[in-house]
Every structure is written in C-alpha cells, then in structure tokens.
C-alpha cells in the first residue's frame, strides 16, 4: 500500500521541477498532494499523511 | 573495468552487513537509451551484492521487461527495488531508488539493505496503526541530491 522512492533530483529534473524542489530532502506525497521539506520527525510525516488521506 | 568501491569502503560495508540476518533481493532496472548513469549504477550494485551472500540481484530492462517494471511500479531508470527474500519468495516492502545511489545516497542504500534484512521498519505503533488502516495507496517520493 505504501511505496517510498528516493529520487535523484539532478537526474530527474523534470519531475523535480514539476514538484518545485528547491531544498532537499523534499518528500512529495501522492504526486503533489503534499510536499514536506526537510528531514522531519516521523510524527510530522504521519500528521501530513493523516491530513491528506482524511480528504 | 576499474572497481567503483575501494578496499576501505568495501571493508566498511562488509562490517555493516555482518549482522544481517535475513536475505535481501535487489531488482535493478536499466534502460538502453537516455540513461546516463545506468551502467555505473548497475556496476555499483553488483559490487555491493558481491560483498554479502545474503544479497542477490536480478537485472531487468525498463523497456524489454516492461511487464515486470509495471508490476513493481518502476517507471524510472536506473530504478532499484530493495525487497526481502525468504526461500524463493520475494516480498516487496515498497522500497525504491530512482537514480544512481552515489554520495550520501550510497549510505542510504546500504542502510536500506540492512533495514529490509531486519524485516522491521522501526516505525512507531501510531504510524503502524495508521498505515495498516490505509485504503488507498500512498506514494512517497523523497527528492535527494548526492551532496
């Protein structure tokens, strides 16, 4: 149900531009439903996931 | 061909892999055209796989093996799936790399292999409960740079 992909921002620039990557790491969830910048604690990531899946 | 990993690095990885318990299977997807780093990425992984008998790898082509790529939701080359292997059974935990795992990403690759070998995500109970209840797929794409 969950897939986590590390994406080389330099190699896949089109995708990086699509998601406005300006700082790394940036975690883009479900093709832009949410963007989390920085290496955030697990609880922050969970809160973000809860927010977008609650819609 | 010259090796990408020198003896020092190989030794460090060997030490890091030493406590590995369970088997890990890597699926590598390359592409013949427009893939600047496919050859290097494949060689890098081959050198890593060689270090531990707990790690195996199969090589695919994103175009020639389109069915397998689709099955594993791989749409980029180089594309890397780090899966668990128990006997003949491959279990996909959803762990992927898109692009060559060099620089800092190389450390992440080694850690991911060890994590998958441990069969434990180390996530909190809260997170596990939430993920268990998911009804729609979630795709996390972590954009990284080698430096």
């Amino acid at each position: 149900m969950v897939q986590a992909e590390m994406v080389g921002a330099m190699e896949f620039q089109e995708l990086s531009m699509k998601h406005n990557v300006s700082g790394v790491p940036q975690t883009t969830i479900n093709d832009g439903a949410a963007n989390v910048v920085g290496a955030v604690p697990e609880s922050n990531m969970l809160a973000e996931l809860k927010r977008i899946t609650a819609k | 061909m010259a090796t990408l990993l020198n003896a020092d690095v190989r030794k460090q990885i060997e030490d890091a892999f030493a406590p590995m318990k369970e088997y890990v299977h890597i699926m590598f997807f390359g592409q013949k055209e427009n893939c600047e780093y496919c050859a290097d990425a494949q060689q890098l992984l081959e050198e890593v796989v060689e270090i531990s008998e707990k790690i195996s790898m199969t090589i695919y082509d994103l175009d020639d093996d389109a069915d397998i790529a689709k099955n594993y939701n791989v749409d980029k080359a180089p594309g890397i799936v780090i899966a668990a292997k128990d006997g003949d059974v491959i279990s996909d935990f959803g762990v992927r790399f898109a692009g060559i795992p060099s620089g800092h990403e190389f450390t992440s690759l080694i850690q991911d292999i060890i994590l998958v070998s441990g069969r434990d995500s180390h996530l909190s109970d809260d997170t596990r409960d939430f993920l268990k209840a998911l009804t729609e797929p979630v795709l996390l794409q972590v954009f990284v740079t080698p430096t």
Side-chain angles (χ1 to χ4, degrees), chain B residues 76-100:
Chain B
K76 298 176 197 70
I80 302 157
V81 176
I82 303 174
K85 187 169 183 278
D86 299 284
D88 291 332
V89 182
I90 307 285
S91 309
D92 180 14
F93 294 164
V95 180
R96 304 279 185 279
F97 274 76
I100 185 165

Short mmCIF file of all heavy atoms in Angstrom, two decimals, chain B residues 76-100:
data_model
loop_
_atom_site.label_atom_id
_atom_site.label_comp_id
_atom_site.label_asym_id
_atom_site.label_seq_id
_atom_site.Cartn_x
_atom_site.Cartn_y
_atom_site.Cartn_z
N LYS B 76 11.29 4.57 -13.71
CA LYS B 76 12.49 5.35 -13.97
C LYS B 76 13.70 4.43 -14.06
O LYS B 76 13.73 3.38 -13.44
CB LYS B 76 12.73 6.37 -12.84
CG LYS B 76 11.62 7.38 -12.68
CD LYS B 76 11.89 8.27 -11.48
CE LYS B 76 10.63 9.01 -11.06
NZ LYS B 76 9.62 8.09 -10.46
N ALA B 77 14.70 4.88 -14.83
CA ALA B 77 15.95 4.14 -14.91
C ALA B 77 17.11 5.08 -14.60
O ALA B 77 17.11 6.21 -15.08
CB ALA B 77 16.12 3.53 -16.30
N PRO B 78 18.12 4.67 -13.81
CA PRO B 78 18.11 3.40 -13.11
C PRO B 78 17.02 3.35 -12.02
O PRO B 78 16.83 4.32 -11.30
CB PRO B 78 19.51 3.31 -12.48
CG PRO B 78 20.03 4.72 -12.46
CD PRO B 78 19.36 5.44 -13.58
N GLY B 79 16.35 2.22 -11.94
CA GLY B 79 15.33 2.01 -10.92
C GLY B 79 15.72 0.78 -10.10
O GLY B 79 16.13 -0.23 -10.66
N ILE B 80 15.63 0.92 -8.78
CA ILE B 80 16.12 -0.14 -7.91
C ILE B 80 15.04 -0.50 -6.89
O ILE B 80 14.51 0.38 -6.21
CB ILE B 80 17.41 0.30 -7.18
CG1 ILE B 80 18.50 0.69 -8.20
CG2 ILE B 80 17.91 -0.79 -6.24
CD1 ILE B 80 19.56 1.62 -7.64
N VAL B 81 14.71 -1.79 -6.81
CA VAL B 81 13.76 -2.27 -5.81
C VAL B 81 14.55 -3.06 -4.78
O VAL B 81 15.31 -3.95 -5.14
CB VAL B 81 12.71 -3.21 -6.47
CG1 VAL B 81 11.76 -3.79 -5.42
CG2 VAL B 81 11.94 -2.48 -7.56
N ILE B 82 14.39 -2.70 -3.52
CA ILE B 82 15.07 -3.46 -2.46
C ILE B 82 14.01 -4.27 -1.74
O ILE B 82 13.19 -3.73 -1.00
CB ILE B 82 15.84 -2.54 -1.50
CG1 ILE B 82 16.85 -1.71 -2.31
CG2 ILE B 82 16.57 -3.36 -0.43
CD1 ILE B 82 17.57 -0.67 -1.51
N ALA B 83 14.02 -5.57 -1.99
CA ALA B 83 12.96 -6.45 -1.49
C ALA B 83 13.52 -7.49 -0.53
O ALA B 83 14.74 -7.70 -0.46
CB ALA B 83 12.27 -7.12 -2.67
N ALA B 84 12.62 -8.15 0.17
CA ALA B 84 13.01 -9.23 1.07
C ALA B 84 12.92 -10.55 0.32
O ALA B 84 12.11 -10.70 -0.60
CB ALA B 84 12.07 -9.25 2.28
N LYS B 85 13.77 -11.49 0.70
CA LYS B 85 13.75 -12.80 0.04
C LYS B 85 13.78 -13.89 1.11
O LYS B 85 14.68 -13.94 1.93
CB LYS B 85 14.96 -12.93 -0.88
CG LYS B 85 14.98 -14.17 -1.74
CD LYS B 85 16.08 -14.06 -2.79
CE LYS B 85 16.11 -15.23 -3.73
NZ LYS B 85 16.84 -16.37 -3.17
N ASP B 86 12.74 -14.70 1.09
CA ASP B 86 12.68 -15.83 2.00
C ASP B 86 12.45 -17.10 1.18
O ASP B 86 11.36 -17.30 0.66
CB ASP B 86 11.54 -15.64 3.02
CG ASP B 86 11.78 -14.38 3.87
OD1 ASP B 86 12.64 -14.44 4.77
OD2 ASP B 86 11.13 -13.35 3.60
N GLY B 87 13.48 -17.90 1.05
CA GLY B 87 13.41 -19.04 0.14
C GLY B 87 13.28 -18.52 -1.26
O GLY B 87 14.12 -17.73 -1.70
N ASP B 88 12.21 -18.93 -1.95
CA ASP B 88 12.01 -18.43 -3.31
C ASP B 88 11.03 -17.26 -3.35
O ASP B 88 10.69 -16.75 -4.41
CB ASP B 88 11.45 -19.55 -4.22
CG ASP B 88 12.50 -20.62 -4.46
OD1 ASP B 88 13.71 -20.27 -4.42
OD2 ASP B 88 12.13 -21.78 -4.69
N VAL B 89 10.57 -16.86 -2.18
CA VAL B 89 9.53 -15.83 -2.13
C VAL B 89 10.14 -14.43 -1.97
O VAL B 89 10.89 -14.16 -1.03
CB VAL B 89 8.55 -16.10 -0.96
CG1 VAL B 89 7.45 -15.05 -0.94
CG2 VAL B 89 7.97 -17.50 -1.08
N ILE B 90 9.80 -13.56 -2.93
CA ILE B 90 10.24 -12.17 -2.86
C ILE B 90 9.10 -11.35 -2.27
O ILE B 90 7.98 -11.40 -2.76
CB ILE B 90 10.55 -11.63 -4.29
CG1 ILE B 90 11.53 -12.54 -5.04
CG2 ILE B 90 11.02 -10.17 -4.24
CD1 ILE B 90 12.96 -12.44 -4.61
N SER B 91 9.39 -10.60 -1.20
CA SER B 91 8.38 -9.72 -0.61
C SER B 91 8.78 -8.27 -0.82
O SER B 91 9.86 -7.85 -0.41
CB SER B 91 8.23 -9.98 0.88
OG SER B 91 8.03 -11.35 1.13
N ASP B 92 7.89 -7.54 -1.45
CA ASP B 92 8.16 -6.14 -1.77
C ASP B 92 7.67 -5.26 -0.63
O ASP B 92 6.49 -5.26 -0.29
CB ASP B 92 7.43 -5.79 -3.08
CG ASP B 92 7.65 -4.35 -3.49
OD1 ASP B 92 8.54 -3.70 -2.93
OD2 ASP B 92 6.91 -3.89 -4.38
N PHE B 93 8.57 -4.51 -0.01
CA PHE B 93 8.20 -3.60 1.07
C PHE B 93 7.99 -2.17 0.55
O PHE B 93 7.83 -1.23 1.34
CB PHE B 93 9.28 -3.58 2.16
CG PHE B 93 9.44 -4.87 2.91
CD1 PHE B 93 10.57 -5.11 3.68
CD2 PHE B 93 8.46 -5.85 2.87
CE1 PHE B 93 10.73 -6.29 4.39
CE2 PHE B 93 8.60 -7.05 3.58
CZ PHE B 93 9.74 -7.27 4.34
N GLY B 94 8.07 -2.01 -0.77
CA GLY B 94 7.85 -0.68 -1.35
C GLY B 94 9.06 0.22 -1.34
O GLY B 94 8.94 1.43 -1.55
N VAL B 95 10.24 -0.34 -1.10
CA VAL B 95 11.45 0.48 -1.03
C VAL B 95 12.09 0.59 -2.42
O VAL B 95 12.39 -0.41 -3.05
CB VAL B 95 12.47 -0.11 -0.03
CG1 VAL B 95 13.73 0.75 0.04
CG2 VAL B 95 11.84 -0.24 1.35
N ARG B 96 12.26 1.84 -2.87
CA ARG B 96 12.75 2.09 -4.23
C ARG B 96 13.84 3.16 -4.26
O ARG B 96 13.80 4.09 -3.45
CB ARG B 96 11.61 2.65 -5.12
CG ARG B 96 10.38 1.81 -5.20
CD ARG B 96 10.55 0.68 -6.21
NE ARG B 96 9.32 -0.07 -6.39
CZ ARG B 96 8.90 -1.02 -5.56
NH1 ARG B 96 9.63 -1.33 -4.50
NH2 ARG B 96 7.79 -1.66 -5.79
N PHE B 97 14.72 3.05 -5.23
CA PHE B 97 15.65 4.12 -5.56
C PHE B 97 15.46 4.46 -7.01
O PHE B 97 15.37 3.57 -7.85
CB PHE B 97 17.11 3.68 -5.36
CG PHE B 97 17.63 3.87 -3.97
CD1 PHE B 97 17.26 2.99 -2.97
CD2 PHE B 97 18.48 4.92 -3.67
CE1 PHE B 97 17.72 3.16 -1.68
CE2 PHE B 97 18.96 5.09 -2.38
CZ PHE B 97 18.59 4.21 -1.38
N ALA B 98 15.41 5.73 -7.34
CA ALA B 98 15.40 6.16 -8.73
C ALA B 98 16.63 7.04 -8.92
O ALA B 98 16.74 8.10 -8.31
CB ALA B 98 14.13 6.92 -9.06
N GLY B 99 17.55 6.56 -9.74
CA GLY B 99 18.81 7.28 -9.91
C GLY B 99 19.94 6.52 -9.27
O GLY B 99 19.71 5.58 -8.50
N ILE B 100 21.15 6.94 -9.59
CA ILE B 100 22.32 6.24 -9.04
C ILE B 100 22.51 6.58 -7.57
O ILE B 100 22.49 7.74 -7.19
CB ILE B 100 23.61 6.55 -9.86
CG1 ILE B 100 24.78 5.70 -9.36
CG2 ILE B 100 23.95 8.04 -9.87
CD1 ILE B 100 25.98 5.66 -10.30
#
